[in-house]
């Protein structure tokens, strides 16, 4: 799970990484109230999961209420690289003396953590990596040894950190705790600034949490609630489906994550592209099938549906009854190709006979069904 800046800063604070106190605002009134409580000047920052907000106009300074209103009006509701801004984070503006870059990630190839530090912060780090790779210190950390004083000294030295270096060990130590104890896959601070009072403060926060560790972090619930989801993904999650939107034209419904993945592959193999990944999960009764059809039928990209079911514990006759019942309540905009195999497949096919038409097509193998769905989608868009 990726965190927005304000969530990332909340996460940082738990582990002692210094940040500024701030407030979240969703309207002009809330922004005004927040800024007055915090004290001017403030910085107003768009909360969306994209980088380069500064350059794109999503970060503005305001020294009084009038400037704040201008900034909040400009940023709230703006489209930032395809994301609509619904929230701004407001914090007291920092007087910046220097901007550094710091990050911790897992270097899978090396099987070690990777600490990166640069004195060229505040700018696009990929750009620095391209034009001036020597400006980024890269130091590996063995997870068994942890972050040693040697590693820190090496990073500070290589990166040429001057001002604020005396605070670096403490800040890096806190960031390392956030990364390890906090079960993050990535923590990135750009910029980590030296304020005019000499303190080091994380002015930005980019954090990716390791979803596999969610079970031991009940505090992540709050982040989850605010997670940005494609509206169809939100509906699907609320109805217990495992759905991910993609950009092709074949709507996929399968039972089991493995089969759903295989279905995507087969569709690709026969020249089509999936509009989504959808795993019905364990049951595939009328209710689940209706939910799945609802979600997918509402996707304007979908030109044909491919329902691919393998009955193991789930029986094909139950699935077939589910499909028949779902078709009573969901209007099909496009043809649906069904492939049922496994437990009680024959009974399932018998039940489907009642609904087979030029819109509901039954195929017996995964490949022929995929081919048929791709053909139907082509015909629909021709
Ligand atoms: P990003 O562009 O999405 O990475 O957003 P950042 O949070 O990194 O902000 C972009 C830039 O805005 C920073 O590199 C700073 O130069 C500037 N900025 C952010 N907060 C402050 C602040 O409190 N005071 C000042 N003077 N500049 C700030
Ligand atoms: Mn940044």
């Amino acid at each position: 799970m990726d965190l927005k800046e304000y969530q990332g800063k909340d996460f940082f604070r738990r582990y002692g990484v210094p940040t500024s106190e701030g407030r979240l605002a969703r309207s002009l009134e809330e922004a005004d109230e927040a800024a007055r409580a915090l004290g001017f000047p403030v910085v107003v920052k768009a909360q969306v999961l994209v980088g380069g907000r500064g350059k794109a106009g999503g970060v503005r300074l305001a020294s009084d209420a009038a400037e704040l209103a201008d900034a909040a009006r400009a940023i709230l509701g703006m489209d930032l690289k395809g994301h609509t801004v619904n929230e701004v984070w407001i914090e007291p503006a920092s007087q910046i003396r220097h901007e550094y870059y710091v990050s911790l990630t897992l270097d899978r190839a090396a099987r070690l953590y990777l600490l990166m530090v640069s004195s060229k912060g505040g700018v696009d780090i990929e750009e620095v990596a391209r034009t001036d790779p020597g400006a980024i210190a890269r130091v590996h950390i063995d997870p068994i040894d942890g972050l040693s004083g040697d590693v820190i000294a090496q990073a500070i030295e290589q990166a040429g950190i001057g001002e604020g270096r005396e605070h670096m060990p403490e800040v890096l130590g806190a960031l390392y705790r956030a990364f390890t104890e906090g079960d993050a896959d990535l923590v990135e601070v750009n910029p980590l600034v030296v304020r005019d009072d000499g303190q080091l403060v994380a002015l930005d926060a980019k954090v990716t949490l390791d979803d596999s560790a969610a079970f031991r972090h009940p505090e992540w619930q709050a982040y989850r609630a605010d997670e940005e989801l494609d509206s169809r993904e939100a509906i699907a999650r609320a109805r217990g489906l495992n759905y991910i939107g993609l950009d092709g034209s074949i709507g996929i419904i399968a039972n089991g994550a493995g089969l759903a993945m295989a279905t995507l592959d087969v569709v690709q193999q026969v020249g089509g592209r999936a509009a989504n990944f959808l795993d019905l999960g364990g049951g595939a009764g009328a209710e689940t099938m209706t939910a799945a059809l609802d979600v997918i039928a509402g996707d304007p990209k979908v030109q044909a549906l491919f329902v691919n079911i393998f009955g193991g514990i789930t029986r094909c006759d139950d699935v077939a009854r589910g499909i028949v019942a779902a078709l009573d309540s969901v209007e099909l905009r496009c043809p649906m190709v069904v492939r049922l195999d496994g437990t009680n497949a024959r009974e399932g096919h018998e039940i489907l006979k009642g609904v087979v038409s030029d819109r509901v097509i039954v195929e017996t193998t995964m490949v022929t069904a995929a081919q048929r769905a791709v053909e139907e989608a082509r015909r629909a868009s021709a």
Side-chain angles (χ1 to χ4, degrees), residues 53 190-191 204:
R53 293 165 303 161
N190 187 22
D204 195 5

Side-chain angles (χ1 to χ4, degrees), residues 42-364:
V42 293
V43 58
V44 182
K45 311 180 74 177
Q47 297 301 295
V48 280
L49 288 174
V50 293
R53 293 165 303 161
K55 266 193 205 157
V59 177
R60 307 238 309 220
L61 291 165
S63 54
D64 56 37
E67 283 182 21
L68 175 87
D70 284 348
R73 206 173 286 124
I75 297 175
L76 279 169
M78 84 184 282
D79 179 284
L80 218 157
K81 302 183 181 176
H83 295 249
T84 306
V85 180
N86 297 315
E87 306 153 324
V88 288
W89 173 250
I90 301 183
E91 64 178 39
S94 296
Q95 302 293 322
I96 300 173
R97 234 192 263 160
H98 205 94
E99 298 187 283
Y100 297 132
Y101 170 95
V102 179
S103 70
L104 280 161
T105 49
L106 178 63
D107 182 343
R108 287 171 202 278
R111 302 183 181 188
L112 296 168
Y113 296 144
L114 178 65
L115 166 67
M116 290 199 274
V117 179
S118 176
S119 60
K120 290 200 163 178
V123 291
D124 184 358
I125 198 69
E126 281 81 16
E127 178 71 20
V128 177
R130 206 166 38 238
T131 56
D132 190 5
I136 305 172
R138 307 165 117 261
V139 188
H140 280 113
I141 301 168
D142 189 319
I144 304 292
D145 303 338
L147 181 65
S148 66
D150 281 355
V151 165
I152 295 175
Q154 204 184 326
I156 291 176
E157 178 63 31
Q158 272 184 34
I161 300 296
E163 278 187 275
R165 63 187 294 157
E166 69 278 16
H167 298 300
M168 269 294 182
E170 199 190 326
V171 172
L172 291 181
L175 201 65
Y176 185 76
R177 274 198 305 280
F179 179 64
T180 51
E181 289 168 31
D183 284 310
D185 284 333
L186 162 76
V187 292
E188 185 185 71
V189 187
N190 187 22
L192 173 72
V193 302
V194 186
R195 262 188 342 214
D196 61 352
D197 61 2
Q199 293 303 308
L200 281 179
V201 180
L203 274 207
D204 195 5
K206 186 171 175 192
V207 175
T208 304
L209 299 175
D210 176 358
D211 290 322
S212 309
F215 70 93
R216 57 183 171 216
H217 293 285
E219 75 277 14
W220 290 2
Q221 274 307 322
Y223 304 144
R224 178 81 60 193
D226 286 353
E227 198 182 353
E228 245 181 55
L229 286 177
D230 175 91
S231 65
R232 249 184 300 285
E233 287 182 20
I235 297 167
R237 179 174 295 184
R239 298 179 73 164
L241 303 168
N242 210 341
Y243 171 96
I244 298 164
L246 301 168
D247 53 15
S249 63
I250 315 287
I252 307 285
I253 298 177
N255 65 329
L259 184 62
M261 292 293 281
T263 309
L264 259 56
D265 287 346
V266 169
V267 164
Q268 181 94 21
Q269 223 169 53
V270 301
R273 284 173 58 78
N276 66 275
F277 168 99
L278 191 152
D279 162 21
L280 290 169
E287 208 176 302
T288 314
M289 192 57 80
T290 305
L293 284 178
D294 263 346
V295 169
I296 294 184
D299 183 346
K301 297 188 304 293
V302 172
Q303 305 285 1
L305 280 164
F306 178 10
V307 180
N308 190 12
I309 304 291
F310 188 84
I313 295 168
T314 308
R315 290 169 18 200
C316 290
D317 51 332
D318 284 340
V319 175
R321 270 187 286 274
I323 293 173
V324 174
L327 288 174
D328 267 348
S329 60
V330 184
E331 198 190 333
L332 269 192
R333 260 190 320 105
C334 57
M336 174 166 103
V337 182
V338 184
R339 175 257 182 172
L340 286 180
D341 204 353
T343 311
N344 289 2
R346 189 144 20 96
E347 289 81 348
H349 285 138
E350 282 302 316
I351 292 164
L352 283 182
K353 269 186 188 157
V355 290
V356 165
S357 64
D358 58 342
R359 310 290 280 167
V360 180
I361 302 146
V362 175
E363 287 284 347
T364 49

